Amino acid sequence: MHKIKRMLSRLGAGFVNKVWRLGAGARLFWLTLISSGESFRRFRLTVREVYFTGVMSLIIILVSAFFVGMVLALQGYQTLQKYGSSEAIGVLVALALVRELGPVVTALLFAGRAGTAITAEIGLMKATEQLSAMEMMAVSPIARVIAPRFWAGVIAMPILATLFSMVGILGGYLVAVPLIGVDAGAFWSQMQANVDWRHDILNGVFKSVVFGVACTMIALFEGYDAPPTAEGVSRATTRTVVTSSLAVLGLDFILTSFMISV
Amino acid sequence: MDRTTIDLWVGIFVALGLAALLGLAMKVGNLTTSSIGETYYVTANFENIGGLKPRAPVKSAGVVVGRVGEISFDPKTYEAVVSLNIDKRYGFPQDTFANIYTAGLLGEQYIGLEAGGDEQPLKNGDKITQTQDAVVLEKLISQFLYSKATESDDQPEKKSASTETDADSLDASPLDKISHK
């Protein structure tokens, strides 16, 4: 009886904690939105963060995109060739990348590469009381630190996802056409016939914008909320990756189900 | 890291992103091919459209001349009403024939237009009267199997009473009869 009571109260505490964190995250999101004027008036602040989150993530994004595209082409060819339609490899690679893999894998890599950096940076800023120092000087840390990073993530993610799709398709092309020997004309023409600008490409970009908001906001919140200790920052960094990945995959399902039902 | 270097790299980054989007639009997507410019629309009624979908191509002599617009159901005639958006550059005579074809054996379905000999061209909102339905593969296969089954029943016994052979072929699976042959 005592055990059950303890289990139930632990469950309740966990649930209350989750709801509290969700509310605190939503509050931080709202505060960021209303105090983001400075990150556009002093656009240099945002540009600096675009450099650290976007440009520095280019290498990992481009290299993984290239390999993902090549593997897709190899695997797709194995199956398509059984049905005598190996020319459709272009469609397969392009649709898989533009609709799903581009936005989702970019967001997962972004959470690992840039999200953790943001969390650790803000967590340490808090631990070393830089954020409190700013408040003492009447500088809002949300407007000065959080908002530029948020908008930088939202700007960088769609760019990274588009580059991912494009480089992935180039990787698929390299495997399919020179290596396997699929006809180059059929590869591109089938792709163009089946990939729609509005329903496939723009929807993919829209997805990546949503993922950009989610990943960056989660990373910022975890950093802002981290206990100001070494252990607290390390745990917050881990939570950033776990929560961002789950949020991206969940949001992806929801967005896709809305997009497909059209 | 000094300011100009950061600006330069971010500039390159954004330019790369825009170039990739442009590349996706032009090389991968159908932004260039789908813009068929000004169109006029005609409707056509079909008894069965099979798997025809909106935005499927409308072809004449194998060339894409338009796209399928809306597909709706007419509850009075129990027919499918398909509206076709055809490029203004291509005029078709009033007695144009509209068929639903399948690209390849299992590919997507499209509408093929065969021009007739009428002097009057089709105008915006006109209706194509001569249409041919989609070939439904299951129907075709069941017809084929049915005819095979009746054939193999008829040959050994030479029975002419068709009602009896019909009943026979319904009892047993048509596939068994084919393997007997």
Side-chain angles (χ1 to χ4, degrees):
Chain A
M1 195 63 206
H2 197 67
K3 239 180 183 174
I4 294 175
K5 207 170 151 190
R6 213 169 48 198
M7 248 166 64
L8 276 178
S9 63
R10 205 186 298 155
L11 183 75
F15 183 72
V16 167
N17 185 37
K18 284 276 180 299
V19 173
W20 185 88
R21 290 174 61 81
L22 195 67
R27 190 167 163 273
L28 183 70
F29 182 44
W30 173 243
L31 281 176
T32 309
L33 284 186
I34 58 171
S35 52
S36 52
E38 198 184 347
S39 41
F40 289 100
R41 270 199 306 278
R42 293 173 64 189
F43 199 61
R44 187 161 301 283
L45 286 176
T46 312
V47 168
R48 212 183 102 88
E49 297 310 324
V50 172
Y51 179 81
F52 286 115
T53 51
V55 179
M56 300 297 266
S57 314
L58 263 184
I59 302 286
I60 184 174
I61 296 283
L62 295 188
V63 172
S64 17
F66 197 65
F67 281 104
V68 166
M70 291 202 294
V71 163
L72 266 182
L74 269 181
Q75 292 282 8
Y77 179 75
Q78 291 291 324
T79 307
L80 285 176
Q81 168 230 41
K82 282 183 196 157
Y83 302 99
S85 52
S86 54
E87 282 78 21
I89 189 80
V91 188
L92 181 116
V93 171
L95 281 185
L97 279 167
V98 168
R99 281 186 183 167
E100 289 295 336
L101 290 178
V104 171
V105 178
T106 307
L108 294 178
L109 291 173
F110 185 88
R113 168 66 183 75
T116 51
I118 292 175
T119 306
E121 192 185 8
I122 293 185
L124 275 176
M125 275 177 142
K126 193 184 174 195
T128 52
E129 295 184 340
Q130 294 181 42
L131 296 184
S132 316
M134 277 185 183
E135 268 175 60
M136 297 289 267
M137 293 186 284
V139 175
S140 159
I142 291 185
R144 181 66 179 73
V145 174
I146 306 279
R149 283 171 177 73
F150 173 71
W151 287 109
V154 175
I155 292 169
M157 184 75 93
I159 297 178
L160 289 172
T162 320
L163 280 170
F164 190 101
S165 302
M166 196 65 228
V167 172
I169 289 167
L170 288 181
Y173 171 83
L174 276 188
V175 165
V177 177
L179 201 70
I180 296 178
V182 175
D183 182 56
F187 182 88
W188 291 113
S189 72
Q190 289 232 0
M191 196 190 284
Q192 284 172 5
N194 287 290
V195 179
D196 186 63
W197 160 251
R198 162 84 186 71
H199 289 106
D200 296 325
I201 297 178
L202 279 192
N203 273 356
V205 173
F206 176 70
K207 264 188 190 177
S208 64
V209 173
V210 175
F211 296 162
V213 172
C215 279
T216 323
M217 207 57 233
I218 288 169
L220 288 169
F221 173 70
E222 291 293 355
Y224 199 70
D225 186 56
T229 57
E231 197 195 1
V233 175
S234 91
R235 286 212 175 149
T237 314
T238 312
R239 270 205 306 271
T240 297
V241 177
V242 174
T243 318
S244 302
S245 310
L246 291 179
V248 163
L249 295 172
L251 278 173
D252 182 49
F253 177 74
I254 295 171
L255 288 174
T256 309
S257 60
F258 273 110
M259 284 168 183
I260 284 206
S261 65
V262 182
Chain B
M1 188 56 80
D2 101 86
R3 269 161 62 153
T4 45
T5 330
I6 288 182
D7 286 357
L8 177 69
W9 274 106
V10 172
I12 292 172
F13 176 63
V14 173
L16 271 180
L18 289 180
L21 190 65
L22 199 73
L24 282 183
M26 294 301 161
K27 193 82 185 167
V28 178
N30 56 358
L31 194 64
T32 43
T33 48
S34 74
S35 54
I36 21 178
E38 296 266 297
T39 56
Y40 62 98
Y41 87 97
V42 294
T43 57
N45 288 17
F46 294 93
E47 269 177 31
N48 190 340
I49 58 165
L52 190 74
K53 297 208 172 53
R55 292 193 39 78
V58 177
K59 295 184 185 180
S60 186
V63 180
V64 178
V65 295
R67 299 227 165 247
V68 171
E70 267 179 47
I71 296 175
S72 52
F73 182 69
D74 185 352
K76 289 207 186 81
T77 56
Y78 303 109
E79 284 182 332
V81 183
V82 178
S83 77
L84 315 173
N85 298 319
I86 303 174
D87 196 321
K88 274 236 165 83
R89 284 176 295 171
Y90 308 117
F92 285 93
Q94 285 274 1
D95 57 347
T96 296
F97 207 94
N99 301 306
I100 297 182
Y101 291 126
T102 308
L105 189 60
L106 301 163
E108 58 163 359
Q109 287 183 309
Y110 64 95
I111 289 193
L113 295 179
E114 277 162 38
D118 203 321
E119 298 278 305
Q120 293 288 320
L122 278 172
K123 289 187 298 292
N124 207 11
D126 276 357
K127 189 173 157 190
I128 295 178
T129 45
Q130 292 166 293
T131 60
Q132 193 193 341
D133 296 337
V135 175
V136 179
L137 206 60
E138 290 92 324
K139 245 187 206 170
L140 209 68
I141 291 174
S142 69
Q143 267 171 12
F144 172 74
L145 287 181
Y146 190 73
S147 65
K148 273 285 178 201
T150 45
E151 211 174 86
S152 57
D153 266 6
D154 280 349
Q155 270 169 359
E157 297 155 52
K158 296 231 158 114
K159 262 199 242 168
S160 55
S162 62
T163 46
E164 274 186 53
T165 49
D166 276 356
D168 282 349
S169 58
L170 281 176
D171 283 346
S173 154
L175 279 170
D176 294 342
K177 307 254 162 110
I178 284 180
S179 54
H180 283 317
K181 266 189 76 176

